[in-house]
Amino acid sequence: MKPKPFSALNILLALTIALTACGKTAAPATQQAVTEAPTAVPAQPAVLTIAYANTFPDIDPSTSFSNDGAVTANIYETLTRYNAPGSKDVLSPQLATSWKASPDGLVWTFHLRDGVKFHDGVPFNSAAVKFSIERTKTLNGGAAWIWGSVNNIETPDDYTVIFRLDYAAPLDLIASSGFAAWMISPSVKDKDGAWFNAGHDAGTGPYMIESYAPGARIILTKFDKYWGGWKAGQFDKVVLEVVEDITVRQQKIESGEADWTLQLPTENLASIGKKPDVKVLINPAFETMVGLFNNKKPPLDNQKVREALSYTFPYDTFIQTSMSGYATQAHGTIPAGMYGSDPSLFQYGLDPDKAKSLLAEAGYPDGGFELTMTYATGDSVEQQAGELWKAELAKLGITLNLQPMAWEAQWDLAKGDPVNAQDIFVMYWWPTYTTPYDFLFNMFHTEETPLFNLGYYFNANFDKLIDDANTLSGSDKAKAETMFQNAAKILVEDAASLFIFDQSSIHIIRSDLKGYVDNPAYSHVVFAYELSR
Amino acid sequence: MLIYLLRRLLLAILVIVSVSVVTFFVARVIPSDPAALYAGQRPTSDQIAAARERLELDQPLYNQYFRFVRDILKGDLGTSYKTKHAILADIKTFLPATLELVIASTLMAIIIGIPVGVLAGAKHGGWLDQTTRILSIAGVSFPTFWLALVLQLFFFGTLHRLFPLSSRISNNVALFNSFPAVTGFYLIDTLLAGNFIAWRDAVWHIILPTLTLATYPISLTLRMTRAAMVETLSEKYITAARAQGLPERDILFRYALKNAIVPTLTVLGLSFAYSLTGAFLVEVIFSWPGLGKYVTDAIFNVDFPVIVAVTLIVTLFFVSINLFVDIIQAFLDPRVVLR
Amino acid sequence: MKVFTRWFGFRFAPDSIPAHLRRDPLAVVSSLIIMIMILSAIFAPLLTSRAAEGLGEPNPSEKLAPPSAAHIFGADHLGRDLYARVLFGGRTALGMGFLIVFGAVLIGAPLGAIAGYFGGWLDEVIMRVTDVALAFPPLLLAIAIASALGPNLTNAAIAIALTWWPWYTRIVRAQALALRERPFIEAAHVIGVGNFTIIARHILPNVLSPVIVQATLDLGSAILTAAALSFLGLGVQPPTPDWGQMVSTGRIYFPQRWWYVTFPGTAIFIATMAFNLLGDSVQDANK
């Protein structure tokens, strides 16, 4: 296993196992001699087939907040776009061409792209922006809360939008969100979620819905009048297929029936990557797994015990065994490769002796207590983490009870009285829009009634540090980054949580697919417009 | 006769009402927070509070139940907390896929189970009887989900072009040979559209899941037909028919089967109803977009309006089929009524 | 899953069975398999040197090892010996099967005895409730109950038992109806023994033996249904070994690592088949 598949320069490493395994024999992008499905007739349009593991529960662009983002991202567009790691700028223009914030961060002005039309022919303008965001805010579903700071939207002319905020917020980042930030045609003002989920759309994006068979597939067809124009070689049709069975997904990508897929068994990736027709892409994902310690309930209210437990988790074994090495141990809560992450931050390792002496200091020389860990039912990675940890803890006389629960049930338990709550809450965290504040605030900022701070970590100094950093991040990104890093360090020193691993984003694509760039800001989204064969 | 049928009908209604009560309350005691589910993936406290109010979750349970019944009587099965879709619309989408599978496997049970059962019963104790005895017992002992995996293993790799391992139709047909979904039964829709390429494709896709699902009903039908045949063939009128020198084929399939079919019918009705839930396991493995996948997702999310609605719909089928079988039975064999 | 044994096996004369069964080779074979299963479940720790792994201790260095001399069934995703897992899984399977039929008899038998003994409106009410309960879609209800109670071994067993009891109510009621007319019951009644004492002392013990035989034969279906729940993730949770759960996890590594689903799956099949074969033979013997 490579200790860190991503360099400090933040360069996107789309490395194929084939390349690392057999040197220069691969270079597959230039080889077009891939056997295609026998049905390909010259007159037929170019089709891109994407095999997803889950259904698309909600394709209403205002409320979509799940893997349905994979659909909406090809149909709708946002004002700004978060660039893949390694790009020059963090953001690039999409439906907005330029934007700027007032010095206090309370007024944001966006200038819009001219000549853009929605699929239904309605022109895109400032009124459409106002309509889209207000529709999203009114429906108040999904990730609508990202617009919480927006007090008022003004439209001085057709191509200028002014946002007035109640409190400073990085609106340029928010506008790039993969959820709740899509621009929607004002012609749908009477339409509800059911209309969208019946297979209708109202976007400006390069593709439109041709047909929708819920639970099976969505077929997109290109929008001829797309403002970006069309070049030869781009795909005419996109099939987003739902293939829940892991075995069948693997077979589809190997046989060429699918061009892109995800979530194959990590154990198989090495052998899949050796096939010349297929590439395995491994990138950082802005997603981390934590085990939130219950900071309010004995014995985990004792920092020594939390530290001791941090020394009992078999990080390396777990990553090797359950992730086949395709993950890295977390450096605190901010995922590697993201703005605000710190590769030099201290990591706890498996050290039973140290754990034992810490436990002795805390008054538990022979363990002798029981802990309950809850995790989401059916999540095999979380379950394996629990099974491996349980074995390590048993050696120190600590019993770990593993309790799978439906996510809402697990969450409900944690939101109640901390004394009756679980001792360890295992979950993943990813940002709604890409900022370290999302991690630090949601999981660790003091809350009167806990919402996501489910380890009940209360530290006023920490709160102030991240709040200040967040306000500062609009004007001084470098200084704010140091402050975010310091905040992350406090959490590690306090052993506020078990910081387990940073997820890798693993996608398997056909070698003849050109132009694919993985963008962790829009996880598991394939922007079909950028691709060709 | 009429009284008998009325009794059955009353019982059916009683069943449906009890199922609605039981599932409603069972689903409500599941430790979870429906308001949080409704509010979405990562809601704010305000969103959750708004959801709780909107869903009237603070109301007493019996009030919620009456509201639920009132909505059903108005033809509204409610909305999913997870997706906010109208459940009735979802069921209209997913039910045909499941029914298609269940009907196909029941047909397979009739086509294979009855004739083989007749022959096995005719030569009571013969080699066919012995072989089918073991095979049919094996057939009811197979874990459906495991059988599906075994079939997948067999047809994995190059053989998957012979029989596809997932979905109802292939992408190419959806792209270039699409057909309007009129009934939702693809085998019928394709024929209505006169689209034989798509029809062939749909047939190919349904074979493996049907085979998996049919193992149980085939075995059941076979054993029941055989048992009924053995009993019927020992009756005097058969001996009389044999003495008259009627051809054996006529004796078996015209005279004996007519009487033996009654208990077989009961078993078929039962197994059809059982297959409705059995299909759930098969759908999960063959990525068959039916009711089973729909409800298992709902169970993992504790999306209880969906759980309750699907249970009700399945019960409705279950009960109607049993009622139907009872009626047919009463006509075929009037002795039933006296029991 | 339960229809099969139901349709073929509810009339019993247990005394006449063994003699006939000895002549039926399938009965002998299936009884033998069942005995082996029970014995290997009891003596599981003696039959493997990797009992700790069988109970759940991970051994990551052996992850997904193919079948070999060291691991005759291969190893699972955490390196545990699958032979040991399947062996200990037999304990879970038989234990759950037992819990399910025991629970169902516990609910069903007294109700049946009361209905049969008292008759009248009580009988009518109990039997209508039974009819209603039988009309529930069984697997679906078990799934709903299991997820309501939270996924674990006991809850899954309770969920299934709650859908099974009506079958036993019917058997016991039929027997109790017949017993009611027998002289010794009437005698007890005449000398002033209370109704519930009669049910507890005279009815239940007398109807119990056919019920126990039936329950034993139902173990196969019970194991199969429990495996289905575990496969859906609503039954036994790891690290407790369970066949259905092993097939469910092994699916991810299938088909390259065929051994992971094959051995536990075969175990479910053999266990269920053995009980069903025996049930079939018993029913044959009754003809």
Side-chain angles (χ1 to χ4, degrees):
Chain A
M1 171 216 164
K2 285 154 282 305
K4 256 191 293 168
F6 354 105
S7 78
L9 290 170
N10 206 5
I11 291 173
L12 181 75
L13 291 185
L15 49 96
T16 74
I17 305 249
L19 277 172
T20 55
C22 42
K24 60 185 179 197
T25 49
T30 51
Q31 299 175 349
Q32 281 283 29
V34 181
T35 47
E36 242 311 342
T39 42
V41 181
Q44 278 183 343
V47 180
L48 176 73
T49 310
I50 305 169
Y52 280 104
N54 298 99
T55 52
F56 311 114
D58 186 9
I59 53 173
D60 181 327
S62 287
T63 52
S64 146
F65 197 22
S66 177
N67 45 305
D68 23 41
V71 180
T72 48
N74 282 296
I75 301 171
Y76 302 91
E77 291 174 296
T78 45
L79 293 176
T80 62
R81 171 106 169 248
Y82 196 96
N83 292 326
S87 313
K88 194 159 98 326
D89 301 309
V90 176
L91 294 172
S92 59
Q94 185 117 6
L95 289 178
T97 48
S98 65
W99 54 91
K100 98 176 178 289
S102 63
D104 59 2
L106 290 175
V107 182
W108 287 78
T109 308
F110 285 79
H111 296 283
L112 306 182
R113 192 175 294 280
D114 194 355
V116 176
K117 279 207 163 34
F118 286 102
H119 300 158
D120 55 13
V122 174
F124 168 75
N125 54 24
S126 56
V129 175
K130 187 175 163 74
F131 165 77
S132 302
I133 295 169
E134 282 175 354
R135 178 179 192 271
T136 300
K137 284 186 76 167
T138 309
L139 290 178
N140 196 22
W145 50 266
I146 62 174
W147 300 105
S149 61
V150 175
N151 177 296
N152 186 26
I153 304 171
E154 290 165 19
T155 54
D157 65 56
D158 266 4
Y159 296 103
T160 309
V161 185
I162 298 172
F163 294 87
R164 297 200 183 275
L165 310 188
D166 285 333
Y167 49 89
L171 212 64
D172 52 346
L173 284 177
I174 293 170
S176 76
S177 165
F179 301 104
W182 306 113
M183 293 299 129
I184 309 159
S185 168
S187 68
V188 300
K189 65 173 180 295
D190 306 325
K191 310 290 192 224
D192 56 3
W195 183 80
F196 281 99
N197 283 304
H200 298 106
D201 76 72
T204 58
Y207 292 94
M208 315 184 281
I209 297 179
E210 177 181 294
S211 69
Y212 180 26
R217 62 176 70 72
I218 294 188
I219 297 179
L220 307 179
T221 188
K222 74 172 184 183
F223 173 45
D224 288 325
K225 300 190 192 107
Y226 179 59
W227 61 267
W230 290 93
K231 292 189 293 287
Q234 283 175 299
F235 289 102
D236 303 296
K237 300 205 184 241
V238 184
V239 181
L240 299 146
E241 198 184 4
V242 180
V243 186
E244 301 201 19
D245 191 285
I246 199 165
T247 312
V248 177
R249 277 205 305 285
Q250 176 166 348
Q251 167 161 315
K252 286 203 173 227
I253 194 80
E254 288 182 342
S255 66
E257 282 170 83
D259 295 302
W260 184 100
T261 194
L262 74 176
Q263 290 173 22
L264 298 186
T266 50
E267 290 76 15
N268 297 357
L269 293 177
S271 67
I272 295 170
K274 287 202 185 85
K275 303 196 161 126
D277 300 345
V278 183
K279 276 200 267 190
V280 177
L281 308 179
I282 294 148
N283 293 291
F286 296 162
E287 183 175 341
T288 188
M289 185 165 111
V290 292
L292 297 174
F293 290 137
N294 187 333
N295 282 257
K296 283 274 170 284
K297 178 180 172 185
L300 292 181
D301 58 343
N302 185 332
Q303 181 172 336
K304 290 257 187 292
V305 180
R306 294 198 303 268
E307 281 178 42
L309 285 192
S310 301
Y311 282 117
T312 57
F313 190 85
Y315 303 91
D316 292 338
T317 310
F318 168 63
I319 288 168
Q320 285 307 323
T321 308
S322 303
M323 314 293 293
S324 303
Y326 297 101
T328 48
Q329 187 184 340
H331 287 272
T333 187
I334 304 168
M338 212 181 98
Y339 165 72
S341 65
D342 179 4
S344 65
L345 186 57
F346 175 75
Q347 288 178 322
Y348 294 91
L350 176 62
D351 190 342
D353 296 333
K354 206 162 201 164
K356 203 164 172 54
S357 64
L358 279 163
L359 282 172
E361 282 176 47
Y364 302 98
D366 302 306
F369 53 87
E370 280 192 28
L371 297 171
T372 299
M373 171 188 134
T374 59
Y375 65 96
T377 312
D379 190 313
S380 126
V381 172
E382 291 181 350
Q383 177 194 307
Q384 292 176 42
E387 284 187 70
L388 292 167
W389 197 13
K390 183 187 173 83
E392 290 298 333
L393 286 170
K395 293 176 194 161
L396 295 171
I398 302 168
T399 311
L400 184 67
N401 299 318
L402 304 176
Q403 178 97 51
M405 296 175 98
W407 209 94
E408 272 77 17
Q410 186 186 359
W411 191 26
D412 203 38
L413 180 63
K415 282 191 294 184
D417 187 352
V419 179
N420 301 324
Q422 57 273 68
D423 299 289
I424 297 146
F425 188 123
V426 173
M427 67 170 182
Y428 301 93
W429 195 266
W430 40 265
T432 308
Y433 58 94
T434 313
T435 161
Y437 189 61
D438 194 303
F439 291 81
L440 299 168
F441 177 85
N442 282 303
M443 289 190 288
F444 302 104
H445 196 287
T446 305
E447 286 173 320
E448 233 168 78
T449 44
L451 185 67
F452 286 110
N453 182 354
L454 302 170
Y456 325 109
Y457 177 76
F458 300 150
N459 179 341
N461 292 335
F462 170 85
D463 294 348
K464 186 171 176 348
L465 187 59
I466 62 169
D467 290 341
D468 290 348
N470 187 44
T471 314
L472 199 63
S473 65
S475 50
D476 190 345
K477 280 218 154 54
K479 186 156 180 227
E481 178 162 33
T482 317
M483 289 162 75
F484 282 133
Q485 289 170 340
N486 287 337
K489 196 171 162 196
I490 294 177
L491 296 177
V492 171
E493 283 165 355
D494 285 353
S497 157
L498 186 70
F499 302 105
I500 306 176
F501 72 92
D502 293 341
Q503 191 83 269
S504 296
S505 156
I506 303 174
H507 297 134
I508 301 90
I509 71 170
R510 295 292 292 178
S511 306
D512 58 353
L513 206 60
K514 287 185 213 137
Y516 181 76
V517 176
D518 202 88
N519 190 341
Y522 306 93
S523 63
H524 309 321
V525 168
V526 180
F527 291 99
Y529 180 73
E530 297 168 0
L531 307 180
S532 61
R533 203 186 303 279
Chain B
M1 183 75 149
L2 195 64
I3 293 170
Y4 168 77
L5 291 181
L6 270 177
R7 255 179 87 100
R8 307 300 302 174
L9 191 66
L10 266 176
L11 183 68
I13 294 168
L14 192 65
V15 167
I16 291 166
V17 172
S18 336
V19 167
S20 82
V21 174
V22 170
T23 46
F24 186 86
F25 287 95
V26 162
R28 276 303 169 100
V29 300
I30 298 178
S32 181
D33 184 1
L37 179 70
Y38 187 85
Q41 173 144 219
R42 221 178 252 177
T44 58
S45 303
D46 293 348
Q47 280 178 321
I48 297 175
R52 197 177 309 281
E53 194 159 320
R54 180 169 174 175
L55 300 173
E56 299 175 31
L57 291 170
D58 294 331
Q59 299 255 341
L61 266 187
Y62 59 87
N63 270 355
Q64 295 186 33
Y65 177 74
F66 288 128
R67 194 160 45 93
F68 161 77
V69 171
R70 193 192 61 209
D71 287 348
I72 286 190
L73 293 178
K74 282 192 285 183
D76 175 9
L77 279 178
T79 43
S80 153
Y81 284 179
K82 173 90 178 162
T83 64
K84 321 289 181 296
H85 297 192
I87 296 172
L88 194 64
D90 276 352
I91 287 179
K92 274 185 195 151
T93 311
F94 296 120
L95 183 63
T98 302
L99 282 183
E100 191 170 42
L101 204 55
V102 175
I103 291 172
S105 71
T106 306
L107 285 179
M108 209 183 245
I110 294 173
I111 293 167
I112 299 175
I114 293 181
V116 179
V118 167
L119 294 178
K123 293 259 161 57
H124 179 38
W127 66 269
L128 184 68
D129 192 28
Q130 292 297 345
T131 322
T132 53
R133 178 181 172 201
I134 298 181
L135 282 181
S136 58
I137 295 172
V140 295
S141 307
F142 257 116
T144 329
F145 53 90
W146 189 60
L147 183 63
L149 287 173
V150 171
L151 283 177
Q152 271 201 345
L153 178 64
F154 190 74
F155 289 99
F156 190 77
T158 47
L159 273 181
H160 81 278
R161 294 205 192 275
L162 209 57
F163 292 114
L165 301 183
S166 77
S167 178
R168 296 178 75 188
I169 49 164
S170 53
N171 284 334
N172 269 340
V173 165
L175 275 165
F176 308 119
N177 266 305
S178 62
F179 50 92
V182 183
T183 60
F185 294 84
Y186 283 6
L187 290 178
I188 295 172
D189 287 346
T190 47
L191 285 181
L192 286 179
N195 185 339
F196 291 101
I197 298 174
W199 182 77
R200 210 189 85 119
D201 190 60
V203 170
W204 252 223
H205 276 82
I206 206 172
I207 284 180
L208 285 189
T210 305
L211 210 59
T212 314
L213 191 59
T215 315
Y216 188 78
I218 290 175
S219 311
L220 213 54
T221 316
L222 197 161
R223 290 294 284 169
M224 199 63 228
T225 312
R226 173 210 169 262
M229 282 301 282
V230 170
E231 204 165 311
T232 314
L233 285 176
S234 65
E235 304 235 354
K236 289 202 181 87
Y237 75 97
I238 297 291
T239 322
R242 283 218 169 104
Q244 283 183 357
L246 285 175
E248 186 67 14
R249 209 182 61 188
D250 281 1
I251 291 174
L252 289 183
F253 285 94
R254 282 183 59 189
Y255 298 100
L257 184 58
K258 207 163 124 197
N259 272 335
I261 201 89
V262 177
T264 308
L265 203 67
T266 316
V267 166
L268 265 174
L270 265 175
S271 84
F272 183 92
Y274 271 74
S275 299
L276 270 177
T277 44
F280 292 4
L281 293 163
V282 178
E283 287 174 12
V284 171
I285 293 179
F286 287 102
S287 300
W288 193 264
L291 220 49
K293 269 181 34 169
Y294 180 59
V295 78
T296 30
D297 282 354
I299 282 164
F300 277 108
N301 292 319
V302 200
D303 192 349
F304 80 79
V306 176
I307 303 175
V308 173
V310 173
T311 313
L312 264 184
I313 293 289
V314 172
T315 310
L316 202 62
F317 269 92
F318 202 87
V319 167
S320 325
I321 289 157
N322 280 337
L323 192 64
F324 180 70
V325 169
D326 283 345
I327 292 169
I328 300 259
Q329 237 182 351
F331 277 106
L332 283 180
D333 184 357
R335 281 174 303 178
V336 170
V337 180
L338 301 173
R339 254 194 260 144
Chain C
M1 304 279 163
K2 198 133 183 301
V3 191
F4 189 80
T5 46
R6 277 307 147 204
W7 273 93
F8 301 108
F10 50 71
R11 260 170 279 137
F12 284 106
D15 341 322
S16 69
I17 293 170
H20 180 95
L21 285 187
R22 257 176 271 130
R23 271 177 273 135
D24 186 347
L26 285 180
V28 177
V29 172
S30 55
S31 313
L32 215 66
I33 296 175
I34 292 170
M35 288 235 290
I36 293 173
M37 270 177 11
I38 294 173
L39 288 176
S40 62
I42 294 172
F43 297 109
L46 305 177
L47 296 172
T48 170
S49 55
R50 296 174 182 266
E53 287 176 27
L55 288 166
E57 189 175 292
N59 180 15
S61 58
E62 303 282 291
K63 177 188 172 186
L64 293 171
S68 65
H71 300 286
I72 53 167
F73 290 178
D76 76 1
H77 62 299
L78 293 178
R80 296 177 288 223
D81 183 51
L82 269 175
Y83 164 70
R85 294 291 283 169
V86 170
L87 195 63
F88 278 88
R91 281 186 168 187
T92 314
L94 287 173
M96 271 197 86
F98 177 75
L99 264 179
I100 291 166
V101 293
F102 182 74
V105 169
L106 207 64
I107 306 170
L111 281 177
I114 291 170
Y117 177 75
F118 287 107
W121 66 270
L122 202 56
D123 181 29
E124 188 67 17
V125 170
I126 292 177
M127 289 329 283
R128 290 300 78 77
V129 171
T130 312
D131 285 346
V132 169
L134 273 177
F136 273 50
L139 185 61
L140 189 57
L141 189 70
I143 289 173
I145 297 175
S147 68
L149 297 173
N152 68 41
L153 189 149
T154 351
N155 289 348
I158 292 172
I160 300 170
L162 281 177
T163 64
W164 273 29
W165 62 268
W167 298 105
Y168 298 106
T169 307
R170 283 195 170 177
I171 304 178
V172 172
R173 175 182 173 269
Q175 302 269 342
L177 267 179
L179 277 174
R180 189 168 66 165
E181 314 298 333
R182 297 272 288 275
F184 71 99
I185 303 281
E186 291 204 6
H189 205 81
V190 169
I191 60 170
V193 180
N195 282 332
F196 284 96
T197 318
I198 293 179
I199 291 178
R201 284 272 187 74
H202 301 290
I203 304 271
L204 280 178
N206 278 300
V207 299
L208 226 49
S209 69
V211 169
I212 287 172
V213 174
Q214 183 59 53
T216 311
L217 301 175
D218 284 346
L219 276 175
S221 311
I223 291 171
L224 194 61
T225 313
L229 269 194
S230 290
F231 176 78
L232 288 173
L234 295 167
V236 179
Q237 296 297 324
T240 310
D242 177 85
W243 296 336
Q245 170 232 106
M246 280 184 238
V247 174
S248 172
T249 315
R251 229 183 111 196
I252 303 173
Y253 307 101
F254 181 79
Q256 282 87 348
R257 295 160 190 93
W258 53 269
W259 56 90
Y260 199 158
V261 296
T262 304
F263 293 110
T266 313
I268 303 172
F269 173 62
I270 291 177
T272 312
M273 176 106 182
F275 282 108
N276 283 348
L277 268 179
L278 187 65
D280 194 68
S281 304
V282 169
Q283 173 254 328
D284 252 17
N286 259 305
K287 282 254 168 76

